[in-house]
Structure formats: C-alpha cells, structure tokens
Amino acid sequence: MPDKIRYYSTMGKAPEVEFAEALFQGQPPDGGLYMPTRIPKMDPSEIEELKGQPYRDVARAVLWKFLCDEMPEQELDRITSEAYNFEVPIERVHDRRHIIRLDQGPTASFKDFAARFMARTMQFYQRSEDSERIILVATSGDTGSAIANAFWGVDGFRVVVLYPKHEVSERQARQMNTLGKNVVAVACETKFDQLQANAIRAFEDPDLAKLRLTSANSINWCRLMPQIGYHFYAYTALEPEKGEPIVDAVSSGNFGNVTADFITLRMGKPVQRILVATNENDEFPGFMETGIYRPIHPSKACISNAMNVGNPSNMRRLFDLYGGQIDRQGMLHKMPNLDALRRDAVGMTVSDALTHITIQSVYEQYGVLLEPHGAVSWAALHRYCSLREEEPLSIATETAHPGKFPEALQAIGVEPDLPESMKGLDEKKQDFFELSEDYGEFKEFMFRLA
Ligand SMILES: *Cc1c(COP(=O)(O)O)cnc(C)c1O
C-alpha cells in the first residue's frame, strides 16, 4: 500500500496536515498553499478502461486515488453522482481540435465542478453539533456564484461573497445577489486582487477566529482537486490511441484550472503540451519567455473578466510542482525547473482584440459560439496547432456559458440563449451590501454579521 496522502505547505514552514484539515483550514499559516505529499498515478491500463466512460465514473476513479484513505467508496460515489448531475459536452470544432463545454452546471461556469464537490465533501465532515461555519469567498465573477449556489440552503454553513462591483457582468452579479437565505452578497468598490488580499487577511486575523471562516477560493486544495476530473475526462472521452498525447489549452486566471491539468500530467495522462492561456494579464507567459516573474499590478481589466488576475494564487502550487518556490506576493524564492516547465507547457497571451476576433471567426467559420474566456484558450490552441506539421489531438476549455456574457457577443450580432438554470434571473430581486476596499471596514462588517 502506498503512503497515505497528507498535505504540506509550499512555503515549507507549516506542519503537514490531513485532508480534512486542509479542507477546512483552506491555507497553511505560513503563507503557502497545501499540496499533496504524493501525486497518485493512473497507469495506462486504468486510463484505457476509462475511455468512453461517463463523466461521473471518470471523476470518481480519478478522485478516488486522492481520497481512498479519507472516505468510504460509496460516499465518494454519492458525492460525485450528486455533484455531477449535468452534461459535459465535447464538440469537435474542426480537424482534431475540440472544445470541452464546462458550462452546464447550475451557475453556468466550470467553477460548479469544484464548488459542488467541495460543498458535499464539507457536509460529509461537518457534524450536526458543530457550530456554523462561514464560507468567505472573494470572486472575480464565477467562483462566488458557484460557491453560493452549492452551499445555498445547506445547514451549518453561511456564505459571504465579495465581488468587485465594476468587474463582473450584470448577470454574474445577479447570480450572487438574488439568492438570499444563507448567502450574503457584498459589492465592493475595488479590484479582485484587493478583495482577495482582504479575504486572505481575514483568514489569518485572530480577531475573526471565532467566526470559523472557511475559504472556498482556489487556494483551498479541495477547490482544485475536483478539477482534475474534467481534465482527465477531456482525454478519455476523445478516446485517443493508447498513449497518444493530447494538447490542452486552458483558460487561466488564478491558475486553479491549469494547475489541475498539470496534476493530470503528473498522474500519467499523456500530454504533448499544456497551453497556459492568459489574457493581457500575462505574468506567466512573460516568465516562460524570460525566466523573470513579474506580477501585473494593478491587474488589467480584460473582457475575459474572470481571468483578470495579476498575481495568481496558484502560481505557488505550479512552481512547487517544478521544484521552485514563490510566495504569495509573487516573490521568487527558488527558481522552478524552467527547462522541464518549457517541455511540458507553453505560456500564451491573448489580447482583447484577438479575443473578439476569435469569437467572431469561430462563429462565422464553424457556427460554434464561444464566450470570452473560452475564446482565449481557443485562440491559444489555434496558434499552437497551426504551427505544427502534424495536427495533434487537442482540446480547449470553454469555461463559461456564452449566455453569461451577452455584452461581449453583441459585436457579432448574436444574442445567446440563457442556460436553463439562469432563466428568470433578470427579474429576481437583488439584495446586497456595499463596501470599499478598506480592510477595517470589511472587518467591522464581518463582526456585525456574527
Ligand atoms: C475562474 C475562471 C477562469 C480562470 O480559472 P482559474 O482557475 O482562476 O485560472 C476562466 N474562465 C472562467 C469563466 C472562470 O470563471
């Protein structure tokens, strides 16, 4: 039997913890992020067996590798069946180029994959005699609604969701501020990066300890882990030849999405290249090119707004995977193995202009409707594959439903249908608080809430 997986801090100055502690604590006290002490392998025959299998079976098999010492198998089976009660369509766009639509969950973004799994996992550990926990989440748009929806009406949990007032679309805001019940929405007069800094400070603030704050941002390992499921499925569902490598283009903001894909590579998924696709917040592509890491501050407001992150939290995990170390301010302490990173991945920046053109041309040429985040990874895929002599098997993540971004699609004269789950949203009553970027004010607010 291999060792039980425990979780260590990427900064190396906090004790290792068990899964449940990493789950509720969110982040270690030393400013690092939790990583598994061992990345389990899927051997080629196991991957073969998963080819053509439905989503929840693939997700269960892959996640079982991480959770086999944590819960009974039928519990994981229940969690995956309940969490993944929606379709995960894969469309061929042309040649061997595909998109995976991760937008069929209740809040119409891929964040549902992690949020729904995490809520059910926390429920599994939360006992009825435990006092209420507050899930605090800072969001650039989609995390907040996914988490709020996943915990909505769940006993023992309250959700406080902070969003940047001017950086989320009208519909994204409505998905958070029309829920009510145990969900408290807060519109803030600042940028996502500042909100995230406030949230992180709150988790570490001893004055707030009695609120039992729990993080649901992708700094939490349990937000990242479930995403390993769809990156595996993107491969097994295409049923490649045994061992045939794939090219994955991954829309990247806070880097949870793409770090999960790097983990599938470590687990044994055959990958030719991971294309790390960013918008104009291009600190990572810049690093890949020059070896110098420079957070973008302040972050740029691009149309793929959920990717407007100038100092991605999960860079700590990604660098750790390659033997490097970076702190949460984006200061490099130890250089990752850049050669290895360059063998596995390519960083690609996609401008807003190219994002617009991509949405338009993919629609005109192939009748396929993309939204801005998916267009970023598609543009990266297109650039990469067009330069190859042999067309590789490839897939790009379409991370949200086009109906969430009607503003961005006006230019091509298409009014996308709303996903079923969002119908009626425009008529619902909104209810939210307003705060500035000031931490003191935010703290006051949290006290009043308690
Ligand atoms: C969050 C988000 C992203 C970026 O994912 P990260 O895990 O933060 O890199 C991309 N697209 C959409 C629609 C998102 O909501």
Side-chain angles (χ1 to χ4, degrees):
M1 278 291 282
D3 294 344
K4 181 173 182 194
I5 298 177
R6 295 167 57 83
Y7 295 84
Y8 67 89
S9 166
T10 56
M11 287 310 286
K13 295 205 177 73
E16 281 180 11
V17 297
E18 301 285 329
F19 174 75
E21 203 178 332
L23 173 67
F24 285 115
Q25 199 184 315
Q27 58 178 341
D30 63 355
L33 292 183
Y34 284 122
M35 281 291 277
T37 48
R38 173 171 68 76
I39 293 181
K41 298 275 184 237
M42 297 287 288
D43 60 48
S45 63
E46 287 175 296
I47 295 176
E48 281 303 294
E49 274 170 33
L50 291 176
K51 284 186 184 164
Q53 297 300 312
Y55 186 74
R56 31 181 112 143
D57 293 348
V58 175
R60 179 174 13 80
V62 176
L63 296 174
W64 180 242
K65 296 274 174 182
F66 286 92
L67 296 173
C68 58
D69 293 316
E70 306 299 338
M71 56 175 66
E73 199 165 5
Q74 63 273 29
E75 195 60 37
L76 179 63
D77 192 34
R78 186 186 64 76
I79 291 174
T80 42
S81 309
E82 283 181 20
Y84 304 126
N85 60 353
F86 51 86
E87 299 290 308
V88 189
I90 291 181
E91 291 171 26
R92 192 175 78 92
V93 180
H94 67 95
D95 293 326
R96 306 186 74 208
R97 301 178 200 178
H98 304 78
I99 56 173
I100 179 165
R101 289 206 185 265
L102 303 168
D103 60 359
Q104 304 289 300
T107 68
S109 93
F110 82 105
K111 303 280 193 322
D112 285 323
F113 282 81
R116 292 172 65 77
F117 188 90
M118 182 182 187
R120 284 165 179 79
T121 306
M122 282 192 176
Q123 248 183 307
F124 169 73
Y125 286 102
Q126 172 87 340
R127 278 179 296 268
S128 52
E129 68 273 19
D130 291 347
S131 58
E132 185 186 71
R133 287 181 185 276
I134 295 184
I135 311 285
L136 176 62
V137 50
T139 183
S140 56
D142 293 322
T143 292
S145 54
I147 294 289
N149 189 286
F151 281 97
W152 186 66
V154 173
D155 280 346
F157 296 92
R158 190 130 55 119
V159 181
V160 175
V161 38
L162 312 172
Y163 60 90
K165 201 174 165 184
H166 304 292
E167 286 183 10
V168 301
S169 74
E170 168 77 16
R171 280 185 184 148
Q172 283 177 312
R174 284 180 165 274
Q175 283 182 302
M176 297 180 269
N177 65 28
T178 59
L179 285 167
K181 278 194 190 171
N182 60 336
V183 172
V184 180
V186 189
C188 301
E189 196 68 48
T190 184
K191 287 176 174 287
F192 170 70
D193 287 321
Q194 182 59 38
L195 286 185
Q196 174 149 276
N198 282 354
I200 289 170
R201 219 170 132 185
F203 291 122
E204 290 167 359
D205 192 333
D207 297 345
L208 294 175
K210 69 170 194 307
L211 299 185
R212 309 224 316 148
L213 296 181
T214 297
S215 153
N217 278 93
S218 58
I219 53 174
N220 193 312
W221 167 253
C222 196
R223 263 291 308 284
L224 193 132
M225 182 187 68
Q227 299 178 350
I228 295 169
Y230 63 73
H231 285 301
F232 251 104
Y233 179 74
Y235 184 76
T236 57
L238 288 175
E239 305 194 43
E241 299 291 319
K242 190 170 181 179
E244 182 181 0
I246 190 166
V247 173
D248 291 334
V250 186
S251 322
S252 301
N254 216 10
F255 274 52
N257 192 14
V258 79
T259 302
D261 200 26
F262 277 94
I263 291 175
T264 64
L265 182 158
R266 283 299 163 87
M267 291 179 77
K269 185 178 83 175
V271 175
Q272 182 185 110
R273 277 285 159 67
I274 293 175
L275 312 182
V276 183
T278 70
N279 61 24
E280 293 166 31
N281 293 284
D282 60 352
E283 62 293 320
F284 185 77
F287 171 74
M288 290 292 273
E289 210 164 288
T290 62
I292 300 168
Y293 185 78
R294 276 210 196 89
I296 309 277
H297 187 77
S299 57
K300 294 188 189 152
C302 296
I303 54 166
S304 45
N305 62 18
M307 289 157 56
N308 293 341
V309 186
N311 181 21
S313 306
N314 280 294
M315 206 58 73
R316 285 171 273 176
R317 289 193 169 108
L318 179 53
F319 280 22
D320 183 81
L321 275 175
Y322 286 86
Q325 191 183 53
I326 190 166
D327 67 22
R328 66 175 180 217
Q329 279 82 31
M331 262 262 294
L332 201 60
H333 293 234
K334 184 167 174 238
M335 190 68 181
N337 184 337
L338 196 54
D339 292 336
L341 200 47
R342 284 175 174 155
R343 266 195 303 278
D344 291 344
V346 184
M348 288 191 172
T349 311
V350 177
S351 66
D352 267 4
L354 182 57
T355 307
H356 277 300
I357 293 169
T358 301
I359 293 174
Q360 182 153 15
S361 66
V362 171
Y363 186 69
E364 281 168 5
Q365 285 185 48
Y366 308 109
V368 172
L369 194 58
L370 300 177
E371 53 68 60
H373 307 81
V376 168
S377 57
W378 177 265
L381 188 78
H382 184 69
R383 195 187 305 162
Y384 179 88
C385 293
S386 303
L387 294 172
R388 304 288 115 184
E389 265 171 31
E390 241 177 80
E391 175 78 21
L393 182 67
S394 65
I395 194 158
T397 56
E398 175 64 347
T399 46
H401 194 283
K404 273 185 116 161
F405 302 95
E407 302 91 339
L409 301 180
Q410 263 164 11
I412 57 171
V414 175
E415 202 171 316
D417 283 342
L418 266 189
E420 204 52 48
S421 59
M422 286 173 64
K423 298 222 164 109
L425 194 62
D426 294 347
E427 286 78 52
K428 283 194 186 145
K429 188 175 160 306
Q430 304 188 66
D431 187 10
F432 56 90
F433 295 90
E434 292 190 73
L435 286 180
S436 72
E437 63 172 18
D438 182 57
Y439 180 72
E441 191 187 323
F442 165 60
K443 191 165 157 177
E444 266 307 296
F445 174 80
M446 293 302 287
F447 274 129
R448 271 184 279 132
L449 204 66

